[in-house]
Amino acid sequence: QVQLVESGGGLVQPGGSLRLSCAASRSAFNILWMGWYRQVPGKQRELVAAITSQGYTRYTSEKDDVKGRFTISRDNAKNTVNLQMNSLKPEDTAVYYCFGGSSWYPVDYWGQGTQVNVSS
């Protein structure tokens, strides 16, 4: 079993930045995919960004502008995955969940979630 612990959420004004971090409880080298989903009340959880242990990245195709504003990165030696979010918009408000597994869908492991609020 892998435990994933997120940090870095909070309240930010539109146009601001946040950096989310997720730490895995065991070697991330053995976790092929890691990344982030987000969810707002009443909607399905959606993929934001994912990265393999070799550094291949995937950003959600439903929100094309995410790739230009968000950057996912991974440090296998530190068992962490990060999401740098710039130029945040109110519609980015959601609970962000870290995930890990053999695929980006379905997911094997979830973190507990961290709230991101973008509001003036």
Side-chain angles (χ1 to χ4, degrees):
Q1 188 69 16
V2 175
Q3 305 296 324
L4 301 173
V5 179
E6 301 104 333
S7 61
L11 174 64
V12 64
Q13 292 185 343
S17 298
L18 280 176
R19 182 177 176 85
L20 305 183
S21 294
C22 174
S25 61
R26 65 170 173 83
S27 174
F29 282 109
N30 294 325
I31 305 173
L32 178 59
W33 284 94
M34 295 185 73
W36 300 87
Y37 277 74
R38 68 185 179 186
Q39 188 172 25
V40 298
K43 292 189 177 181
Q44 286 189 331
R45 201 170 291 189
E46 65 172 3
L47 177 70
V48 178
I51 185 169
T52 68
S53 53
Q54 293 78 31
Y56 173 80
T57 59
R58 179 186 177 97
Y59 293 85
T60 178
S61 60
E62 295 185 6
K63 302 291 183 182
D64 290 336
D65 69 334
V66 165
K67 186 175 183 179
R69 300 185 293 120
F70 294 5
T71 303
I72 191 169
S73 61
R74 180 169 176 169
D75 188 332
N76 291 325
K78 296 182 179 179
N79 303 336
T80 58
V81 61
N82 302 301
L83 185 68
Q84 178 66 42
M85 305 186 294
N86 298 327
S87 302
L88 283 161
K89 304 176 181 180
E91 51 263 44
D92 294 318
T93 295
V95 178
Y96 284 71
Y97 294 91
C98 177
F99 80 88
S102 57
S103 174
W104 57 269
Y105 182 83
V107 165
D108 296 325
Y109 312 110
W110 289 106
Q112 80 283 0
T114 185
Q115 179 72 47
V116 171
N117 288 315
V118 184
S119 175
S120 55

